[in-house]
Amino acid sequence: MIIIFCPNCGNQINDNEKFCSKCGNQIKRDSQDNNEQMKQSEKTTSDNVSQNVDTEKNYTKYKYIGIFIAVILLLGLVSFGAYSYLLIKIQNKLSKM
């Protein structure tokens, strides 16, 4: 039994299956088409790997952007809290005079 890849989605399938179980693509049987399917499946698989790497890079990029925004917001909240505390403290001193 030979395992081949679907030229449409890159899913592993047995050589005796007529259709891909993942996407439903019809699998051709003659040897020339099988060679073509193997080349196409290798290309599809490499494209999928490339897309996964790009997705991971984008995820990392957005992760750092999110962390940066969270730090800025936290600093803003701390600053606002300190300002409010000092303002109330000054108002209390002035009211005691």
Side-chain angles (χ1 to χ4, degrees):
M1 183 179 301
I2 300 173
I3 295 179
I4 59 174
F5 295 92
C6 174
N8 190 40
C9 69
N11 185 40
Q12 282 187 356
I13 53 177
N14 296 328
D15 64 339
N16 60 352
E17 293 181 18
K18 295 181 181 179
F19 295 95
C20 174
S21 60
K22 186 174 181 181
C23 71
N25 187 42
Q26 184 176 5
I27 307 302
K28 297 179 182 174
R29 291 289 167 221
D30 58 354
S31 62
Q32 186 177 15
D33 284 341
N34 281 342
N35 289 337
E36 188 177 315
Q37 282 181 353
M38 290 178 130
K39 288 177 186 175
Q40 182 65 27
S41 68
E42 288 173 3
K43 182 180 181 290
T44 302
T45 303
S46 67
D47 289 347
N48 289 343
V49 169
S50 174
Q51 287 174 353
N52 288 343
V53 169
D54 291 342
T55 302
E56 289 175 14
K57 286 180 183 177
N58 286 340
Y59 173 74
T60 303
K61 178 176 132 181
Y62 291 125
K63 180 175 146 184
Y64 288 126
I65 290 171
I67 291 171
F68 177 75
I69 290 171
V71 168
I72 295 298
L73 287 174
L74 185 63
L75 287 173
L77 286 172
V78 168
S79 298
F80 180 73
Y83 173 76
S84 298
Y85 173 76
L86 291 175
L87 185 63
I88 291 171
K89 191 173 180 182
I90 290 171
Q91 285 176 348
N92 287 341
K93 280 186 178 182
L94 290 175
S95 67
K96 288 182 181 179
M97 292 180 145

